[in-house]
Amino acid sequence: MDMVSLNIVGGILVSICRDMGVTLMRTSYSTIFSESLDFTCGLALPTGELIATGDFCPSMIGGMPLLLASCVQEMPLAELEDGDVIVHNDPYRGGLHTPEHTFIKPVFLDGSLIGFSVAIGHVCEIGGMSPAGFAGEATEVFHEGLRVPPVKIIRAGKDVDDVWRLMLANVRTPRYNYGDFRALIASIDLGERRMKALAAKYGPEVFHEHVTALMDYSERRMRAEIEKIPDGRYRFEDVMEDDGIEDKAYTIRAEVTVKGGDVVVDYHGSDAQAKGPINATLGVAHGAAYNAILHLTDSSIPKNSGCFRPIKVLAEPGSVVNVNFPGPSVGGNTESHCRIANIVMGALAPAVKARSAATDGASHSNFLFGGTDRQTGEFFCCYDLTPVGWGGRSFADGNDAVGGINGNCPHVPVEVFEYRFPWHIEEFKLVEGSGGPGTFRGGLALSKTLRCTDTEMTFSYMSDRQKVAPWGIHGGSEGAKAELLIQRAGSEDWLTATQAFNKVSPSKFANVPVRPGDRVRITSPAGGGWGPATERDPERLAQDLLDGFVTPEQARTDYAPAG
């Protein structure tokens, strides 16, 4: 296969996936799609092998291969019809967590199945014990919302009304869910049309030859990258500071074995699964390992099943990185994924120093709330994310206030947030001095203060890094920790959820009441530093002081040469 044809076909496939994402973004109802882009779109072969994906949410990109393989095993392919749409969100069937809904549409050409058009999206409201889908105190999957195995929601182009009624009857915001589901379906409809047109242009046999060659090309590129890493066994560990139910930390360990062009990521020695919802599914364990390796290798390698073939993942069932039924896992794909990915990167850091980075804030400060709209009488929900600081690198400071390593999700603009929901954002700022000191400092955290305007609501929170700071690397220092504080109307005191509501965890809780005049202040974690702070370029340090990125006290204590 000549490289010109291969790159043309590969480019078209990625373009299709990106257009699918734009369609989803522009037709969705919820801000988590329209503003934060918490979704991924892809195309696959009938075997479930991923042939292309859009550059959206990294956790879903890495999670898609196992998810598709699991669905293909369960769906009788002979029973699929042109116009079918399958929906699936089961975390124990290759899924990532219950909010992540996967819509799959078979693509037929001249009566033969040639592949699938796929979209995964984080649906804001899924039922369960708390509005907006993040039950920070869940102890079983049934607290987390409706669990759907692979079922047809559309059969041969016609809605399966019973499935629609069942899914919409189990959520608080049926109109918004309906709109978001239709947006997801519109995206895979587009993917199906474009994939069918491309296959028709080349002919199904030539098309299959091209996509097979594209996956083989990605595999060769990835193996060549892995071969640059010295053979050996590399280890690293970190903790989730608590699970929302018990006040204790959970250790995650990774042993990464490199041999030639192969990598094995083994999570043996990680703690048993938690009672609370920080557990990762097997799909998350796979996706986080893939995410880490992709960050340490050439970013131009096409993202398909081929580039994942050299990477093997071992995760013991019943552990915090491979939850057993009916254990909860809603926090696993947002909080635990970024922790796992950074652990794998930390393990390989000594072997790939030039490409290594300190950890990012590794938390999304998931802020969830819901209530009844005073004007319409309709229930509303929101899933909001807060950006973090990224870790310093061998050649640059960490980025300030961007989405965590597994999300790539933009923050909802202040104007949109205030227009859509009964909050006024009083303060929205970078946190001075929060980046971990280093030769290249960590990126700064973000702080925002919200005041409830005119509607009683309940809110929930899922975060981490409030007790254990983000680590630096190669002599760099820790980044600043996260925080959530609450101030009741008429009070001057800012309290943690533990202080105000007797919650076990200040970072993982559910269903806290909020009333007009109450304030909530969310501060995300910052990035760690890379290299000794005393070796930072004096000109960079001087500019940091002018910009307010480093405090004068830090300059005197952390950055001053010894003696």
Side-chain angles (χ1 to χ4, degrees):
M1 186 69 60
D2 68 276
M3 289 303 301
V4 173
S5 298
L6 199 64
N7 278 286
I8 289 172
V9 172
I12 293 171
L13 291 170
V14 171
S15 178
I16 292 171
C17 296
R18 289 172 177 164
D19 287 348
M20 291 167 66
V22 172
T23 299
L24 173 52
M25 175 188 71
R26 293 188 179 278
T27 58
S28 58
Y29 281 32
S30 299
T31 54
I32 192 60
F33 290 155
S34 63
E35 303 295 336
S36 294
L37 313 183
D38 196 354
F39 55 76
T40 285
C41 304
L43 301 171
L45 290 179
T47 57
E49 292 175 288
L50 184 67
I51 59 175
T53 184
D55 301 325
F56 295 105
C57 185
S59 68
M60 299 178 197
I61 292 172
M64 198 177 283
L66 180 64
L67 189 153
L68 288 171
S70 300
C71 286
V72 167
Q73 286 182 3
E74 188 164 346
M75 297 184 302
L77 299 187
E79 297 179 9
L80 295 178
E81 302 176 80
D82 199 355
D84 284 351
V85 173
I86 294 93
V87 63
H88 161 55
N89 81 328
D90 191 340
Y92 308 107
R93 286 177 162 91
L96 305 177
H97 58 176
T98 45
E100 233 94 280
H101 284 54
T102 302
F103 285 76
I104 304 171
K105 187 169 190 179
V107 181
F108 288 88
L109 182 62
D110 299 328
S112 297
L113 180 67
I114 63 169
F116 296 103
S117 177
V118 187
I120 307 177
H122 185 120
V123 175
C124 174
E125 165 56 25
I126 58 169
M129 66 183 285
S130 58
F134 264 82
E137 298 169 38
T139 57
E140 58 183 8
V141 70
F142 305 107
H143 292 152
E144 296 181 334
L146 182 65
R147 185 165 58 100
V148 183
V151 295
K152 291 185 181 181
I153 194 168
I154 297 176
R155 178 179 285 111
K158 295 183 178 180
D159 286 350
V160 182
D161 292 334
D162 288 344
V163 174
W164 279 99
R165 283 197 293 267
L166 180 65
M167 293 187 67
L168 297 179
N170 281 277
V171 296
R172 298 171 177 86
T173 56
R175 185 170 70 88
Y176 278 83
N177 283 57
Y178 181 82
D180 290 337
F181 290 164
R182 287 297 185 191
L184 284 155
I185 292 169
S187 72
I188 59 174
D189 285 346
L190 174 66
E192 179 220 14
R193 292 194 303 271
R194 297 275 183 85
M195 185 177 179
K196 183 184 292 186
L198 183 63
K201 176 181 177 180
Y202 284 91
E205 291 185 2
V206 175
F207 172 76
H208 190 272
E209 289 174 2
H210 276 75
V211 296
T212 300
L214 186 64
M215 290 189 291
D216 292 342
Y217 170 70
S218 291
E219 180 182 1
R220 291 194 302 272
R221 293 272 313 271
M222 179 57 77
R223 289 193 185 280
E225 287 289 295
I226 295 170
E227 286 170 356
K228 297 176 184 177
I229 304 173
D231 287 357
R233 291 187 177 183
Y234 305 94
R235 299 174 180 86
F236 200 82
E237 66 180 57
D238 200 353
V239 299
M240 299 295 295
E241 60 195 22
D242 62 58
D243 69 343
I245 302 299
E246 296 182 303
D247 186 14
K248 69 175 186 178
Y250 291 81
T251 299
I252 299 173
R253 294 185 175 94
E255 179 179 86
V256 184
T257 302
V258 180
K259 186 176 182 180
D262 291 290
V263 168
V264 177
V265 178
D266 187 347
Y267 299 114
H268 76 273
S270 296
D271 282 350
Q273 72 183 51
K275 292 181 180 179
I278 62 167
N279 300 300
T281 66
L282 184 60
V284 171
H286 278 242
Y290 297 156
N291 191 358
I293 302 300
L294 290 175
H295 271 84
L296 296 174
T297 52
D298 191 333
S299 61
S300 68
I301 298 174
K303 310 300 185 294
N304 57 46
S305 287
C307 72
F308 301 131
R309 289 172 187 165
I311 307 166
K312 302 296 186 291
V313 178
L314 303 176
E316 182 180 357
S319 68
V320 73
V321 292
N322 187 3
V323 62
N324 276 342
F325 175 85
S329 61
V330 70
N333 200 41
T334 56
E335 299 303 294
S336 303
H337 177 119
C338 43
R339 191 62 38 77
I340 298 167
N342 278 296
I343 288 169
V344 175
M345 292 174 68
L348 289 171
V352 288
K353 186 174 181 178
R355 288 189 175 181
S356 66
T359 184
D360 68 342
S363 174
H364 288 277
S365 299
N366 306 276
F367 178 58
L368 310 306
F369 58 86
T372 302
D373 189 286
R374 295 181 64 194
Q375 294 183 335
T376 66
E378 184 179 17
F379 201 88
F380 63 88
C381 283
C382 178
Y383 169 35
D384 186 48
L385 306 168
T386 302
V388 299
W390 274 54
R393 298 155 285 176
S394 64
F395 58 90
D397 296 334
N399 295 324
D400 304 315
V402 294
I405 189 172
N406 58 327
N408 200 32
C409 297
H411 191 268
V412 177
V414 169
E415 296 83 359
V416 174
F417 191 85
E418 291 186 333
Y419 177 76
R420 291 284 298 270
F421 306 112
W423 293 96
H424 172 61
I425 298 182
E426 297 181 332
E427 186 178 61
F428 189 84
K429 66 176 184 178
L430 295 174
V431 180
E432 182 184 16
S434 56
T439 307
F440 295 99
R441 62 167 177 79
L444 301 188
L446 184 75
S447 178
K448 59 183 180 183
T449 302
L450 308 89
R451 175 174 52 82
C452 177
T453 55
D454 61 5
T455 304
E456 291 189 3
M457 295 176 279
T458 59
F459 83 88
S460 303
Y461 192 63
M462 170 66 71
S463 183
D464 210 67
R465 292 297 191 200
Q466 292 196 16
K467 304 172 186 175
V468 182
W471 43 265
I473 201 166
H474 304 308
S477 299
E478 296 176 339
K481 290 181 281 193
E483 188 175 57
L484 181 134
L485 298 173
I486 303 152
Q487 185 189 65
R488 286 306 196 188
S491 172
E492 298 295 323
D493 298 326
W494 287 95
L495 305 174
T496 67
T498 301
Q499 295 167 332
F501 302 104
N502 200 32
K503 296 293 185 180
V504 171
S505 170
S507 60
K508 301 168 190 71
F509 53 85
N511 296 329
V512 166
V514 62
R515 301 178 179 85
D518 291 349
R519 290 179 171 86
V520 177
R521 177 174 295 155
I522 301 169
T523 302
S524 67
W530 193 102
T534 53
E535 296 179 11
R536 184 165 180 78
D537 184 335
E539 292 185 7
R540 284 180 176 268
L541 181 58
Q543 189 62 51
D544 280 342
L545 286 165
L546 288 173
D547 292 334
F549 293 163
V550 170
T551 66
E553 176 64 19
Q554 281 181 314
R556 288 191 297 269
T557 59
D558 296 323
Y559 289 93

